Amino acid sequence: MAPPIRTVAIYNTHEVHSIDFFGNEVTVTVTSDASVICEWISNVHTYDCAPLTYSHHPLVVGVGVQWTPFCYRSCDGDSSPGSYNSDDNSYSPPPPPRRYYVDSPADTLQLGVGNECLVIQLSHCDHVPDELRIFLLDPDTIFIGVRNSQDARKLAKSRHELQIGELLDLRNYAQDCRGRSMRRCSFEEIVDVCMRCPGVRLDPEISMSDWSAEDLSHEQIRQASLDTFPIADTVLTPMVPSPLNPQQIQQFLSSVLSQRGPNSVPYDESTKWLIRQHLLNLISSYPSLEPKTATFIHNDGRSVNLLQADGTIPMPYHGVTYNIPVIIWLLESYPRHPPCVYVNPTADMIIKRPHAHVTPSGLVSLPYLQNWVYPSSNLVDLVSDLGAAFATDPPLYSRRRPQPGPSPPPYETRPPPPPQAVDQRPFPPSPYGRVNHVHHQDDAAEVYKRNAINRMVEMVHGDLASMRRDREAEAESMLSLQGGLKRREEEISRGMKEMVEEKETLEQQLQIVSMNTDVLDSWVRENQGKTNIDVDVDKAFECVDALSKQMLECTASDLAIEDAVYALDKGFQDGVVPFDQYLRSVRLLSREQFFHRATGSKVRAAQMEAQVHAIAGRLHS
């Protein structure tokens, strides 16, 4: 069933329509006027600064783009006439011409915040204000839609060449009641499951209609608003389950404190029951705090999995209650030693400097923490003391959001609003941009909605952190691979150098062998055919020089002495040579053998030097 739509007012610069979306009244502004766009953006910033109950979060804007799908017929040759069959007297009509669709630019841009929706007719805008361009590129604003892969390209192709920040697809973050991802679900399924609003659908025929028309139909306006309102508002609620009840918190703490293994919390077994009781009492007294487990990194670089209480604590200030975001870490020595408390400012907050109890890094130091006494000190009294200390000197202040410049009055034909009573009482300066007045009957749906937006932001940041970790791991692996390749390059270079040196050594040895071969060949040629019947052994080898002759004599004497010593050993074993004579003979022979070997070593060195000089002379010649 399509939600009913009615026209509220028609002005010269814009139209205002109202849509009853299952009890939620959605105000839709259709315009092509720059001043109306500026005023709507200004009102959005005012809406974003409205009081918040539990947390501070970035502005979430639902985005939709509509365009007219232009097509043209093919002109391949002449159009062929139909054919006539004489057998059965039948006539075949000509085939239909082919249709080709072109990439059309965006005709309308829809923006939705809360129950307000703006439809900008880009095709009829003379120019778009700079406030719109700045708004679309605001890094602190989250833009989200459904199946919006072409939206940024369509806006860039429009006549105004609009640029928009990162567009998120709601399907990547929406979950059903069982916590299952709805990544592959359609818009209609998300609205049906998450909002319990069956029958809401986007009509394909309306999507294919003429969106460049100056006067959009009610069906087009309704479909354009449905493309943004559920995304920016109610559909975000089911993404986060309802707050944990006391039984679920007890089950969570029991599971964490009883866990064993590398991921268990490192608390003393004798104090785990007291830690559980402290956290249960804290959550009972301050429901805005939630127990969690997270990784805590010490100053020395150690990381450990610890319990924490994350959320906000109330701070009364000049009759108004503010919410201070804090994180209370239960360190390994808790509860015998105090916890570690940090003020956790959001992106639109800054820490007051200097502050008596909060360092620039957010670490809190209080007398209650310094005077911690086990087992009487507890978390409930700590949070109460924190609220009292912060009420005296607030630790956080909001950043000033840059507001767009003044623009001329946009609604010239709008009737003047009725006079209303205005409270002229002066208010004290607020230390925060968003104020939470004291009340005890908050709308649960609004609370869940804000928590859902925070959960979506956390999921987006989680995805970005995961992508960053993946890129860092990939870069680390590439650097490791590069280091391995450099080591292999050094090893290859070293191996090549050793091979070149070995090659040079082998070439030198080859030259020596070639020289010796030439000498032997010449000797064989000289002595070939000679017959010596009586050959004197001592004259069988002729030495070429004195060194060779001396070397021959030393070698012969060495070997002869070796044989003599062997014969003496044999004679001593057989009992032929007496022991004292054996010792004297061996001593004398060994002394003589030593001198022959020493002389041979010197002669060998002299021969090698002479050969080197001979080779060098050949190379130079």
Side-chain angles (χ1 to χ4, degrees):
M1 179 184 67
I5 180 174
R6 62 183 179 89
T7 301
V8 177
I10 299 178
Y11 304 103
N12 294 335
T13 56
H14 65 288
E15 299 178 2
V16 180
H17 303 271
S18 177
I19 298 177
D20 184 6
F21 189 83
F22 294 87
N24 290 322
E25 184 177 358
V26 182
T27 302
V28 184
T29 303
V30 182
T31 185
S32 60
D33 188 79
S35 60
V36 179
I37 298 173
C38 291
E39 181 173 350
W40 191 89
I41 294 175
S42 177
N43 294 335
V44 164
H45 287 303
T46 305
Y47 170 85
D48 187 36
C49 295
L52 295 179
T53 304
Y54 283 95
S55 60
H56 305 277
H57 57 78
L59 178 64
V60 178
V61 180
V63 178
V65 175
Q66 299 291 348
W67 62 89
T68 303
F70 294 105
C71 66
Y72 64 92
R73 296 185 178 182
S74 63
C75 300
D76 301 336
D78 299 333
S79 58
S80 59
S83 61
Y84 176 78
N85 191 346
S86 60
D87 295 335
D88 54 1
N89 295 327
S90 62
Y91 174 78
S92 300
R98 297 181 180 177
R99 292 174 178 253
Y100 295 89
Y101 289 89
V102 298
D103 190 10
S104 307
D107 288 323
T108 64
L109 168 63
Q110 302 91 251
L111 303 175
V113 176
N115 287 10
E116 297 290 333
C117 181
L118 175 67
V119 179
I120 303 176
Q121 295 179 285
L122 298 176
S123 301
H124 301 281
C125 286
D126 295 334
H127 73 282
V128 294
D130 293 338
E131 287 81 358
L132 177 61
R133 299 183 186 274
I134 296 173
F135 179 74
L136 294 178
L137 294 176
D138 186 4
D140 296 330
T141 302
I142 296 177
F143 299 99
I144 191 166
V146 175
R147 298 185 183 275
N148 50 10
S149 59
Q150 302 185 66
D151 289 359
R153 180 169 54 83
K154 294 291 186 180
L155 290 175
K157 286 179 61 67
S158 66
R159 55 180 293 194
H160 305 288
E161 299 181 352
L162 293 178
Q163 302 293 328
I164 191 171
E166 182 180 5
L167 272 173
L168 305 180
D169 194 333
L170 182 66
R171 295 176 301 163
N172 296 332
Y173 306 97
Q175 297 178 352
D176 59 12
C177 58
R178 296 183 179 180
R180 295 176 299 186
S181 174
M182 303 187 70
R183 186 186 303 269
R184 300 184 180 277
C185 296
S186 63
F187 173 83
E188 293 79 4
E189 292 173 333
I190 294 177
V191 175
D192 186 10
V193 174
C194 297
M195 299 179 60
R196 304 293 191 270
C197 299
V200 177
R201 61 184 296 270
L202 300 179
D203 192 343
E205 294 185 0
I206 299 178
S207 300
M208 300 287 288
S209 60
D210 183 11
W211 290 91
S212 62
E214 184 174 3
D215 296 326
L216 298 178
S217 65
H218 274 188
E219 289 76 13
Q220 289 177 314
I221 296 173
R222 175 170 49 217
Q223 182 142 317
S225 61
L226 290 180
D227 202 13
T228 58
F229 163 69
I231 296 172
D233 192 71
T234 315
V235 78
L236 296 175
T237 302
M239 292 170 55
V240 176
S242 59
L244 298 178
N245 55 42
Q247 183 178 1
Q248 292 174 323
I249 295 176
Q250 292 178 10
Q251 293 177 354
F252 168 75
L253 293 176
S254 299
S255 174
V256 171
L257 294 173
S258 62
Q259 186 177 3
R260 297 293 184 270
N263 295 328
S264 61
V265 289
Y267 299 111
D268 190 359
E269 291 293 337
S270 60
T271 60
K272 285 185 176 180
W273 66 272
L274 186 57
I275 295 174
R276 179 177 180 273
Q277 194 61 37
H278 280 187
L279 287 173
L280 289 177
N281 294 338
L282 176 66
I283 304 305
S284 177
S285 302
Y286 298 94
S288 57
L289 293 172
E290 180 181 358
K292 298 179 180 179
T293 57
T295 301
F296 182 83
I297 301 177
H298 289 276
N299 294 332
D300 57 1
R302 292 183 297 110
S303 60
V304 61
N305 190 34
L306 298 177
L307 279 168
Q308 64 170 212
D310 185 11
T312 60
I313 62 174
M315 181 199 73
Y317 185 77
H318 291 188
V320 179
T321 298
Y322 299 90
N323 294 313
I324 306 298
V326 298
I327 297 179
I328 304 175
W329 288 94
L330 307 187
L331 301 181
E332 297 95 326
S333 57
Y334 186 85
R336 290 187 171 86
H337 294 86
C340 186
V341 183
Y342 282 91
V343 173
N344 187 28
T346 60
D348 56 351
M349 294 182 179
I350 56 176
I351 298 177
K352 178 183 177 182
R353 299 184 182 182
H355 194 274
H357 304 297
V358 181
T359 65
S361 63
L363 181 63
V364 178
S365 176
L366 288 177
Y368 189 88
L369 293 171
Q370 299 170 0
N371 301 324
W372 184 273
V373 178
Y374 171 78
S376 59
S377 299
N378 57 77
L379 297 178
V380 176
D381 295 341
L382 170 62
V383 173
S384 177
D385 199 68
L386 283 172
F390 291 163
T392 305
D393 187 9
L396 298 177
Y397 280 85
S398 63
R399 299 179 186 269
R400 293 186 177 273
R401 180 188 293 270
Q403 296 293 338
S407 57
Y411 303 142
E412 299 176 357
T413 60
R414 176 180 295 178
Q420 297 180 356
V422 180
D423 191 358
Q424 300 294 336
R425 292 178 298 172
F427 289 94
S430 170
Y432 305 97
R434 301 171 181 178
V435 181
N436 174 29
H437 294 275
V438 179
H439 55 83
H440 301 282
Q441 295 181 352
D442 299 321
D443 187 0
E446 293 295 328
V447 173
Y448 298 162
K449 185 189 307 179
R450 286 188 289 267
N451 291 341
I453 297 174
N454 292 336
R455 175 65 181 277
M456 185 192 68
V457 174
E458 291 178 1
M459 294 175 65
V460 173
H461 287 308
D463 290 347
L464 293 177
S466 177
M467 292 175 62
R468 183 172 63 253
R469 286 193 298 269
D470 293 342
R471 298 291 83 76
E472 290 176 354
E474 183 178 355
E476 191 69 23
S477 63
M478 295 297 291
L479 291 175
S480 177
L481 179 60
Q482 183 181 11
L485 292 175
K486 287 185 177 179
R487 288 193 299 271
R488 294 183 180 181
E489 180 184 8
E490 294 175 356
E491 293 175 357
I492 293 175
S493 300
R494 186 166 55 253
M496 289 291 295
K497 184 178 180 181
E498 293 176 354
M499 292 174 63
V500 170
E501 293 176 354
E502 186 177 359
K503 178 183 178 182
E504 293 176 355
T505 304
L506 292 175
E507 288 178 349
Q508 294 177 1
Q509 293 180 358
L510 179 60
Q511 291 178 357
I512 295 173
V513 172
S514 300
M515 291 173 57
N516 295 333
T517 303
D518 295 339
V519 173
L520 292 176
D521 289 341
S522 63
W523 184 89
V524 169
R525 285 193 299 270
E526 292 176 359
N527 295 278
Q528 189 175 8
K530 294 182 179 180
T531 57
N532 296 325
I533 300 173
D534 297 329
V535 179
D536 187 1
V537 176
D538 295 331
K539 297 180 180 180
F541 295 95
E542 296 181 0
C543 298
V544 295
D545 53 11
L547 290 176
S548 299
K549 184 177 180 181
Q550 190 176 4
M551 187 65 187
L552 180 61
E553 293 175 353
C554 291
T555 304
S557 300
D558 182 16
L559 296 176
I561 293 173
E562 190 74 24
D563 293 339
V565 172
Y566 177 77
L568 287 173
D569 288 340
K570 188 68 174 174
F572 175 73
Q573 292 177 1
D574 295 340
V576 177
V577 180
F579 179 69
D580 54 348
Q581 185 180 355
Y582 169 76
L583 289 180
R584 285 194 301 271
S585 300
V586 170
R587 181 174 180 275
L588 292 174
L589 292 174
S590 299
R591 180 181 178 86
E592 185 179 356
Q593 188 183 31
F594 171 76
F595 286 114
H596 286 303
R597 289 185 177 180
T599 304
S601 298
K602 292 181 180 180
V603 172
R604 187 180 297 106
Q607 287 179 334
M608 290 296 297
E609 186 176 357
Q611 289 179 357
V612 170
H613 287 301
I615 293 173
R618 288 187 179 184
L619 293 176
H620 289 297
S621 62

